[in-house]
């Protein structure tokens, strides 16, 4: 019996199958290879993949989970395939978006034209938790604030793409994009035959080029780049070790660095070594106890002043969270129009703001239809899935919203697209999203043709965050000259 | 008036400390009211001092890595103060409250209209605003003068009665504090009344006051109340001082000093302005070592005849 026997799309947009049950053209070849595979064979490959994951120590950490600090990251073997024309569209949309968001961040920390012109409410921006007044007037190298961005995209029932959020502070997950490809190639080498899949492995080369270019001019010949991690208890610690190794740079914690006369040094067995660029995976608040949180032991005292002096570069810069605030998100289409004079390529999801009196009434009256999110949290924490919540949960959340309206936004529940995932002995549709990684360097924006596709592994669940029980898939972006038919919709 | 400021701060640590990083916010600003002619910072043990221009003013920064048991910071400034007569532009008689209702003003000065770390917008302060309103004319300046006087009258200046983290609510209940508390309380009232108000750190010259201020202020707004209070020794001369600046409808930021019941004039040397003390603390530091330390600070402000 085929592994796809009795597979149902159930009215959702399915990445692999048309509503009539036949595979979409760009999935046809994959379908034929998998459909006839015996169950035992498929299971064997799953075990092989699991073993590889465990051997490589690919894990992540779930805060508040007592079962232990690290978990293997569930990996679903069926890749998600994106045809070239769809990818081109995504690439255009995200390039436009990051260009505009960077201009926005620069403007907010300088003249604030957009606030004076009232294209975005000033209250919302200047009251955002991640707005850093101390950085008004500061100029990061090349005027670039966001060097690494991970944007989350979803598709609705019609298959249209929407940007759900941008992660402009310390986006994580890119190691899974790279690792998933390595594992799948190992477990299913033949799947890749005859398919024109674009490679993703130049991501780290590109990132390293960009990081090196941030070094102060007189140090650019052979700059010292390090990756600053909060340490082993951070949920993305595995990724930090992976990236440091791939980039060929030191993985350091705050205690491994010190600042003397506005220069950052790394403690080494050969004595102090000057540091020029810090790829930091530590949030603003924990960077420098002198600046932000005197109680924090994670940071490096004096780091912010060293950055101000220009002796060291940070990626990403400080204060970028002002542009990925979930309330500011509601205005990102305006932001694109304002700075670029163009219509946004990629739409966003309709968003209601707790800070707006009319919106607030709408949110409170429609809690059973909306998804409510905390404006300042990430990783799926502090969120209410209205349609599936109990009346008590909704009532409790309503109180929270009323107590602090500025802290919440709400969106209609989008019936996000699904893709087949393996469950015990057959495939079933599971909801997925898409997180491409965008690099902004001195010579422009690069998006490596690949992504992290996150899967809500629990049946019916819409929450794909790894911290909430999500898994992932390898994501194949097909090249233009692929021999497979590409679908024209989108 | 040509004023010289010598501000020394000495830290003595119980044990030797290392990795001592400090940010200093002590340099008088230069604007239309004053010129900072000279400014020097010296640190003992010696350290290289860096200067950064930040939104609140110039910040000096240094670090000391080797072990040390004490730290002396000496800042010396020479400032020429020459503000226009503060009362000349003040509108006391006309209701100018519409100025503060403009959306542009609310957006531009949002930072000085909302609660901040040390300035919660306590509803109790509404009563203080109402009292001041009853004692003043319709103009905003008149209200602010009345508020300055009211706070001076009801609050007791009591050094040592509060510390930097004493909540404003407690200050309000006990009705006592130091210049920081007076300033924070006045900020809370002003912001609740939608008047943009900021915390001003600086120095005050306390010598020869009554001789000099009276002729310079022909429109002294409360001649009937210029009683013995005015002749008391001014407070704030032996340490860094704090007062409040409010945006007046003519677009000027005017200083009001509730600790001394005065409107800022040529005796006042402006250093930095921020939302509250946290933004402009004269020394912010962090070091590695025992938390036990002793701080002594001394400020001398004297009048100079010539540069």
């Amino acid at each position: 019996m085929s592994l796809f026997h009795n597979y149902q799309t159930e009215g959702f947009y399915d990445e692999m199958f048309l509503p009539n049950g036949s595979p979409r053209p760009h999935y046809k070849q994959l379908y034929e290879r998998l459909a006839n595979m015996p169950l035992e064979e498929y299971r064997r490959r799953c075990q092989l993949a699991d073993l590889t994951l465990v051997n490589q120590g690919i894990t992540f950490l779930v805060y508040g989970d007592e079962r232990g600090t690290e978990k293997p990251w569930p990996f679903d073997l069926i890749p998600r395939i994106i045809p070239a024309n769809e990818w081109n569209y995504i690439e255009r949309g995200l390039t436009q978006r990051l260009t505009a968001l960077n201009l926005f961040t620069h403007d907010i920390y300088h003249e604030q034209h957009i606030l004076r012109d009232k294209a975005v409410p000033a209250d919302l921006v200047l009251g955002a938790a991640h707005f850093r007044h101390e950085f008004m007037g500061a100029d990061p190298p090349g005027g670039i604030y966001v060097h690494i961005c991970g944007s989350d995209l979803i598709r609705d029932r019609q298959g249209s793409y929407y940007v759900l959020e941008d992660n402009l502070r310390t986006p994580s997950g890119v190691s899974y994009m790279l690792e998933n490809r390595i594992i799948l190639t190992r477990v299913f080498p033949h799947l890749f035959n005859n398919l024109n899949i674009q490679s993703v492995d130049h991501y780290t080369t590109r990132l390293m080029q960009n990081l090196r270019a941030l070094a102060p001019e007189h140090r650019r010949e052979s700059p010292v780049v390090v990756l600053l991690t909060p340490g082993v208890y951070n949920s993305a610690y595995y990724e930090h070790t992976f990236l440091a190794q791939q980039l060929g740079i030191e993985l350091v914690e705050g205690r491994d660095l010190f600042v003397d006369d506005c220069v950052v040094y790394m403690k080494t067995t050969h004595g102090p070594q000057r540091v020029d660029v810090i790829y930091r995976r530590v949030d603003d608040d924990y960077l420098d106890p002198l600046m932000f949180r005197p109680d924090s032991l994670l940071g490096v005292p004096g780091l912010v002043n060293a950055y101000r002096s220009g002796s060291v570069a940070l990626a990403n810069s400080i204060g970028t969270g002002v542009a990925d605030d979930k309330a500011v998100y509601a205005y990102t289409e305006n932001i694109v129009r304002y700075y670029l004079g163009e219509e946004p390529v990629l739409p966003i999801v309709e968003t209601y703001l707790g800070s707006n009196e009319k919106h607030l009434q709408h949110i409170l009256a429609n809690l059973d239809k909306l998804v409510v999110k905390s404006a300042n949290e990430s990783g799926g924490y502090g969120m209410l899935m209205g349609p599936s919540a109990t009346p008590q949960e909704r009532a409790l959340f309503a109180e929270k919203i009323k107590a602090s309206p500025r802290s919440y936004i709400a969106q209609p529940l989008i019936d996000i697209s699904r893709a087949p995932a393996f469950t015990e002995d057959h495939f079933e549709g599971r909801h997925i999203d898409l997180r491409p990684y965008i690099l902004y360097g001195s010579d422009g924006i690069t998006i490596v043709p690949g992504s992290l596709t996150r899967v809500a592994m629990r049946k019916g669940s819409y929450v794909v965050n790894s911290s909430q029980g999500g898994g992932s898939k390898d994501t194949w972006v097909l090249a233009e000259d692929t021999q497979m038919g590409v679908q024209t919709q989108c | 008036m040509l004023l010289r400021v010598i501000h020394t701060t000495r830290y003595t640590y119980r044990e030797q400390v290392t990795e001592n990083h400090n940010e200093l916010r002590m340099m008088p600003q230069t604007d239309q009211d004053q010129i900072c002619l000279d400014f020097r910072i010296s640190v003992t043990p010696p350290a290289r001092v860096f200067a950064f221009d930040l939104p609140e003013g110039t910040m000096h920064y240094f670090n000391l890595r080797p072990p040390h048991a004490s730290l002396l910071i000496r800042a010396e400034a020479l400032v020429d103060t020459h503000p226009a007569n503060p009362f000349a532009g003040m509108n006391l008689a006309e209701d100018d409250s519409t100025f503060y209702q403009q959306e542009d003003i609310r957006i531009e000065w949002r930072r000085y209209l909302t609660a901040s770390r040390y300035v919660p917008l306590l509803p109790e302060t509404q009563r203080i605003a109402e009292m001041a309103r009853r004692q003043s004319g319709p103009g905003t300046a008149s209200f602010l003068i009345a508020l300055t006087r009211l706070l001076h009258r009801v609050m007791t200046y009591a050094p040592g009665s509060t510390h930097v983290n004493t909540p404003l609510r407690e200050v309000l209940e006990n009705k006592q504090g130091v210049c920081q508390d007076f300033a924070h309380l006045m900020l809370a009232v002003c912001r609740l009344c939608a008047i943009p108000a900021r915390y001003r750190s600086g120095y005050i010259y306390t010598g020869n006051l009554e001789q000099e201020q009276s002729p310079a202020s022909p429109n002294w707004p409360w001649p009937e109340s210029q009683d013995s209070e005015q002749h008391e020794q001014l407070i704030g001369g032996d340490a860094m001082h704090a007062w409040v600046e409010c945006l007046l409808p003519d677009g000027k930021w005017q200083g009001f000093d509730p600790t001394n019941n005065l409107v800022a004039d040529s005796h006042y040397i402006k250093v930095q302005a921020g939302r509250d003390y946290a933004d402009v603390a004269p020394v912010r530091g962090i070091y590695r070592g025992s938390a036990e330390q002793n701080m002594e600070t001394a400020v001398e402000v004297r009048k100079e005849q010539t540069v």
Side-chain angles (χ1 to χ4, degrees):
Chain A
M1 205 189 326
S2 162
L3 292 170
F4 290 105
H5 177 74
N6 213 12
Y7 184 88
Q8 302 290 327
T9 58
E10 296 175 299
F12 293 103
Y13 184 91
D14 195 280
E15 298 290 337
M16 187 160 180
F17 293 100
L18 292 163
N20 68 13
S22 58
R24 293 181 189 275
H26 59 277
Y27 267 101
K28 199 157 174 289
Q29 197 174 334
L30 179 76
Y31 171 77
E32 282 161 5
R33 283 191 190 149
L34 289 175
N36 299 318
M37 186 173 282
L39 177 62
E40 283 319 305
E41 169 75 11
Y42 191 85
R43 278 201 175 133
R44 201 176 57 77
R45 308 228 183 198
C46 288
Q47 283 159 3
L48 190 57
D50 286 347
L51 200 64
T52 316
L53 282 166
V54 172
N55 286 345
Q56 303 238 345
I58 303 177
T59 57
F60 70 98
L61 183 145
V62 177
Y63 297 117
D65 186 328
E66 286 165 14
R67 279 172 295 171
T69 49
E70 296 191 42
K71 285 183 165 184
W73 168 251
F75 176 50
D76 186 77
L77 293 186
I78 306 194
R80 186 239 190 101
I81 305 179
I82 302 176
N85 64 331
E86 279 182 23
W87 182 255
N88 291 344
Y89 166 74
I90 291 169
E91 196 175 26
R92 257 190 315 127
L94 291 178
T95 302
Q96 177 196 52
R97 202 171 161 84
L98 186 60
T99 306
L101 289 175
N102 191 67
L103 290 168
F104 171 71
T105 312
H106 189 277
D107 187 25
I108 290 305
Y109 288 110
H110 291 80
E111 292 83 10
Q112 304 186 339
H113 292 299
I114 196 166
L115 305 185
R116 286 169 216 279
D117 292 339
K118 301 188 174 61
V120 178
D123 267 8
L124 219 56
V125 177
L126 305 179
H130 299 287
F131 171 64
R132 297 280 173 221
H133 176 82
E134 309 87 319
F135 273 82
M136 286 297 296
D139 286 302
I144 302 172
Y145 284 82
V146 181
H147 307 86
I148 303 138
C149 165
S151 291
D152 293 343
L153 276 66
I154 53 169
R155 307 179 80 173
D156 65 7
R157 272 182 194 269
Q158 281 68 49
S160 307
Y161 283 97
Y162 295 87
V163 179
L164 188 62
E165 64 181 53
D166 307 283
N167 295 280
L168 305 174
R169 284 169 276 158
T170 54
S172 61
V174 75
S175 58
Y176 302 106
M177 169 179 94
L178 302 170
E179 288 276 20
N180 287 355
R181 180 65 54 87
I182 295 167
I183 296 169
L184 200 65
T185 320
R186 205 171 287 172
V187 174
F188 267 128
H190 300 300
L191 270 192
F192 293 80
N193 290 355
N194 303 326
L195 280 180
N196 206 343
I197 304 160
Q198 300 205 54
S199 89
V200 291
D201 51 16
H202 56 292
Y203 175 85
T204 41
T205 318
R206 183 73 217 183
L207 173 60
M208 193 58 192
Q209 271 173 15
N210 288 355
L211 290 172
R212 289 170 63 100
L214 290 173
E217 218 169 329
H218 67 285
R219 303 270 308 167
R220 222 164 278 166
E221 197 94 319
S222 57
V224 175
V225 184
V226 299
L227 193 155
L228 177 63
T229 174
V232 293
Y233 295 107
N234 185 267
S235 62
Y237 184 70
Y238 164 72
E239 171 156 308
H240 305 162
T241 61
F242 174 85
L243 285 174
Q245 187 227 339
Q246 294 288 308
L247 293 164
I249 62 178
E250 292 293 333
L251 177 69
V252 297
E253 294 182 28
R255 61 179 179 217
D256 301 321
L257 301 178
F258 68 89
V259 173
D260 193 23
D261 284 353
C262 283
V263 173
V264 180
Y265 297 91
M266 167 170 53
K267 297 171 191 165
T268 76
T269 47
H270 309 291
Q273 182 172 22
R274 181 173 171 159
V275 172
D276 304 296
V277 181
I278 302 176
Y279 173 19
R280 54 95 167 212
R281 297 291 296 258
V282 173
D283 288 341
D284 284 358
D285 275 347
Y286 300 95
L287 268 183
D288 181 348
L290 184 60
M291 178 83 175
F292 300 120
R293 307 245 322 217
D295 54 330
S296 163
L297 300 173
L298 297 178
V300 185
L303 177 57
V304 169
N305 287 329
Y307 179 54
R308 280 180 170 137
S309 80
S311 79
V312 69
L314 294 176
N316 290 341
S317 185
I318 295 171
T320 57
V322 73
D324 74 3
D325 182 277
K326 289 190 172 66
V328 172
Y329 163 87
Y331 292 88
T332 48
E333 292 186 315
N334 286 5
I335 288 172
V336 169
R337 291 184 194 107
Y338 184 86
Y339 293 105
L340 305 178
E342 301 168 358
E343 276 305 300
V345 173
L346 281 166
I348 63 168
V349 178
E350 190 180 4
T351 302
Y352 303 99
L353 303 172
S355 58
N356 177 311
E357 187 54 36
K358 264 193 213 147
H359 289 193
L360 179 63
Q361 293 317 320
H362 179 87
I363 295 170
L364 293 171
N366 293 281
L367 275 182
D368 56 334
K369 300 182 194 73
L370 297 170
V371 181
V372 186
K373 297 177 182 171
S374 161
N376 299 315
E377 296 229 35
S378 61
Y381 291 97
M383 148 176 199
L384 175 83
M385 296 291 284
S388 57
T390 65
Q392 287 87 341
E393 284 169 332
R394 288 200 289 264
L396 201 70
F397 228 82
E399 291 311 310
K400 284 202 216 172
I401 299 167
K402 281 186 231 164
S404 176
R406 165 68 180 78
S407 312
Y408 293 94
I409 62 144
Q411 293 166 335
L413 182 69
I414 305 273
D415 292 319
I416 59 177
S417 63
R418 301 202 314 190
F422 188 66
T423 56
E424 283 177 50
D425 57 1
H426 65 291
F427 292 117
E428 270 184 26
R430 289 289 182 271
H431 294 289
I432 58 168
D433 78 348
L434 183 74
R435 178 180 286 186
Y437 294 88
I438 312 148
L439 298 176
Y440 196 164
S442 50
D443 54 353
I445 289 176
T446 323
I447 310 179
V448 172
S451 295
L452 171 64
T453 291
R454 296 185 296 180
V455 192
M457 297 301 275
R458 267 190 302 130
K459 192 182 178 106
S461 170
Y462 280 72
V463 186
V464 297
N465 304 75
S466 57
S467 46
Q468 312 285 329
S472 73
K473 282 175 173 294
D474 188 17
T475 308
W476 294 355
V477 174
L478 302 180
E480 292 284 3
D481 58 346
T482 177
Q483 288 155 14
M484 295 170 31
V486 286
Q487 69 152 14
T488 46
Q489 195 233 334
C490 155
Chain B
M1 200 183 301
L2 193 60
L3 298 170
R4 184 175 299 278
V5 181
I6 298 164
H7 183 172
T8 52
T9 312
R10 182 192 296 276
Y11 292 92
T12 317
Y13 308 101
R14 198 172 67 91
E15 288 163 11
Q16 296 223 317
V17 302
T18 59
E19 292 283 346
N20 200 341
H21 294 256
N22 289 274
E23 289 187 358
L24 312 177
R25 288 169 173 82
M26 295 181 173
M27 185 168 125
Q29 67 179 49
T30 291
D31 61 13
Q32 69 282 0
D33 297 331
Q34 65 180 42
I35 299 172
C36 181
L37 297 164
D38 188 28
F39 182 76
R40 288 150 212 248
I41 281 184
S42 65
V43 179
T44 317
R48 203 171 145 198
V49 179
F50 295 80
F52 295 98
D53 285 323
L54 302 185
E56 271 75 36
T58 305
M59 179 270 281
H60 291 87
Y61 161 74
F62 66 89
N63 76 289
L64 282 166
R65 268 175 63 72
H68 52 284
S70 70
L71 168 64
L72 176 70
I73 301 162
R74 184 178 190 277
E76 182 172 344
L78 183 65
V79 186
D80 181 32
T81 62
H82 47 78
N85 175 357
F87 300 98
M90 281 194 191
N91 163 24
L92 304 172
E94 264 171 65
D95 181 355
D96 47 18
S97 57
T98 54
F99 172 81
Y100 298 99
Q101 290 153 18
Q102 297 172 77
E103 203 191 342
D104 286 356
I105 295 293
R106 295 217 315 271
I107 291 174
E108 172 130 33
W109 302 113
R110 182 189 187 286
R111 186 171 164 73
Y112 298 133
L113 284 166
T114 43
S116 57
R117 183 159 151 203
Y118 291 125
V119 184
L121 299 189
L122 304 174
E124 298 94 297
T125 54
Q126 186 71 48
R127 258 187 42 244
I128 302 175
E130 283 160 13
M131 272 169 78
R133 192 73 74 188
R134 282 198 295 274
Q135 296 166 10
S136 77
T140 304
S142 169
F143 165 71
L144 292 169
I145 288 168
L147 177 61
T148 305
R149 185 173 36 178
L150 178 66
L151 292 177
H152 177 72
R153 207 174 57 217
V154 299
M155 296 277 295
T156 306
Y157 181 80
S161 64
T162 57
H163 54 86
V164 66
N165 286 318
T166 303
L168 194 60
R169 192 180 293 278
E170 208 176 300
V171 171
L172 194 58
E173 275 164 18
N174 301 335
K175 297 191 174 59
Q176 58 179 15
V178 295
C179 59
Q180 278 164 23
D181 304 306
F182 281 65
H184 286 153
L185 184 55
M186 181 157 172
L187 288 172
V189 178
C190 293
R191 291 178 190 172
L192 201 71
C193 296
I195 300 168
R198 62 192 188 190
Y199 183 99
R200 172 58 80 177
S201 70
Y203 302 100
I204 183 170
Y205 172 61
T206 54
N208 299 329
L209 188 90
E210 57 270 49
Q211 286 168 22
E212 283 165 32
Q213 182 149 14
S214 302
S217 331
N219 301 327
W220 194 250
W222 53 88
E224 74 284 358
S225 72
Q226 200 172 8
D227 50 23
S228 59
E229 280 180 350
Q230 289 299 324
H231 300 280
E232 289 167 11
Q233 175 64 36
L234 284 181
I235 292 162
D238 55 353
M240 207 158 175
H241 192 45
W243 60 97
V244 170
E245 281 182 354
C246 298
L247 183 68
L248 293 182
D250 63 0
K252 191 173 186 276
W253 287 90
Q254 178 60 53
F256 298 89
D257 179 359
T259 312
N260 288 305
N261 189 22
L262 284 176
V263 171
D265 60 7
S266 63
H267 292 72
Y268 287 76
I269 298 169
K270 296 182 269 185
V271 174
Q272 297 210 347
R275 286 166 302 181
D276 56 31
Y277 175 78
D279 281 347
V280 300
V283 183
R284 190 199 297 183
I286 191 165
Y287 61 83
R288 195 178 289 278
S290 160
E292 274 185 60
Q293 61 166 39
N294 177 45
M295 186 190 82
E296 298 157 274
T297 171
V299 169
E300 184 195 342
V301 183
R302 63 169 188 255
K303 203 168 162 181
E304 299 272 343
Q305 295 312 317
T306 53
V307 179

